[in-house]
Amino acid sequence: HFSHLQIEQKAMQIFESIHDSDKSTVSVGAMLKCLIRGHAHSMALSLYDAYPALHDNITHLLALKACIHTDNQCKGLQIIDAIHNNGKEHYVDIKLKNTLVDFYGHFG
């Protein structure tokens, strides 16, 4: 069996082998999910920040979860501002809304 670190490293190798022009919200979301499952929350936030053009409800949700786990309220509030300022607030789905409630509950 592989350790979480080995799995994260293999996943990151695969992710990094994808040319930036071929990366999508799906590939960024998958890598974020892998990092968060492996408790690499700070790395997940760095990855989230590296691909601002590829943010969607899922990447926002995962980044907010990483903020909760790292007690990074400031970063979480920046993400929430980005959600509200991207002109697509009406597309925020129930899962992201639930994560927003969880975020405010954690820091409230």
Side-chain angles (χ1 to χ4, degrees), residues 35 45 47-49 61 65 69 93 103 108:
L35 291 170
L45 289 173
L47 182 80
Y48 172 85
D49 285 340
L61 178 152
K65 286 184 177 188
H69 288 289
D93 65 16
F103 175 85

Side-chain angles (χ1 to χ4, degrees), residues 45 65-75 103 106-107:
L45 289 173
K65 286 184 177 188
C67 289
I68 292 167
H69 288 289
T70 58
D71 282 325
N72 193 340
Q73 182 181 20
C74 183
K75 179 63 183 172
F103 175 85
H106 177 80
F107 290 106

Side-chain angles (χ1 to χ4, degrees), residues 15-63:
F15 179 79
E16 289 175 348
S17 76
I18 302 169
H19 192 276
D20 277 353
S21 64
D22 293 328
K23 287 182 177 136
S24 67
T25 56
V26 174
S27 54
V28 172
M31 192 65 232
L32 288 172
K33 193 173 187 180
C34 177
L35 291 170
I36 290 168
R37 281 187 176 166
H39 305 287
H41 307 296
S42 294
M43 282 182 64
L45 289 173
S46 294
L47 182 80
Y48 172 85
D49 285 340
Y51 296 94
L54 299 178
H55 292 171
D56 65 0
N57 282 344
I58 294 169
T59 58
H60 291 315
L61 178 152
L62 293 168

